[in-house]
Amino acid sequence: MNLHSISRASERRPMSLTVKSRVRSRVVFVDLIDISEGGCKIRARAGFAEVGDRVTMKVNGINAPLGTIAWIEGQVAGVAFEGAMHPAVIDYLCDKQDDRDTGPELRRIV
């Protein structure tokens, strides 16, 4: 079985966000690549975790359900949530990210 053949119970939503997480009681900053009700895909330094490690994450101030590293391929890993993230929370996070992307452009005044 390869990673692309794993069936998904819910739609993955793309994200581009650095989040603070904990793996093996250490703080690890990871890039959140996508998220769904049942899990997410993250990127971090190679060796940051092993399959089966438990993960906690705080995404834009919201605690994600406790997760477990389901697979690792290089610097990318899949996290399976032990509970489900409510679809409205995912919508909120995606909307907040969209607002950030389309916000006013900041310029340096010289």
Side-chain angles (χ1 to χ4, degrees):
M1 170 177 20
N2 67 33
L3 299 178
H4 305 291
S5 67
I6 299 172
S7 63
R8 305 272 183 244
S10 55
E11 173 190 1
R12 291 188 280 175
R13 306 273 301 270
M15 294 286 290
S16 179
L17 189 65
T18 299
V19 299
K20 184 177 180 180
S21 65
R22 286 194 169 274
V23 178
R24 294 186 224 138
S25 300
R26 308 180 271 133
V27 172
V28 179
F29 288 91
V30 300
D31 295 324
L32 183 62
I33 298 169
D34 68 30
I35 193 164
S36 71
E37 294 170 35
C40 63
K41 188 188 307 181
I42 58 176
R43 180 184 307 116
R45 289 183 150 178
F48 79 100
E50 295 177 5
V51 172
D53 284 347
R54 295 170 70 85
V55 180
T56 59
M57 291 186 290
K58 194 167 211 168
V59 183
N60 274 345
I62 298 172
N63 289 321
L66 183 63
T68 302
I69 301 291
W71 57 265
I72 298 174
E73 191 174 273
Q75 293 182 305
V76 179
V79 177
F81 294 148
E82 291 184 7
M85 184 170 271
H86 195 281
V89 174
I90 294 172
D91 289 343
Y92 169 79
L93 293 172
C94 291
D95 288 346
K96 191 167 183 156
Q97 176 179 279
D98 291 344
D99 290 345
R100 184 194 69 199
D101 291 343
T102 60
E105 185 177 325
L106 299 177
R107 297 182 187 178
R108 177 179 281 182
I109 299 175
V110 181

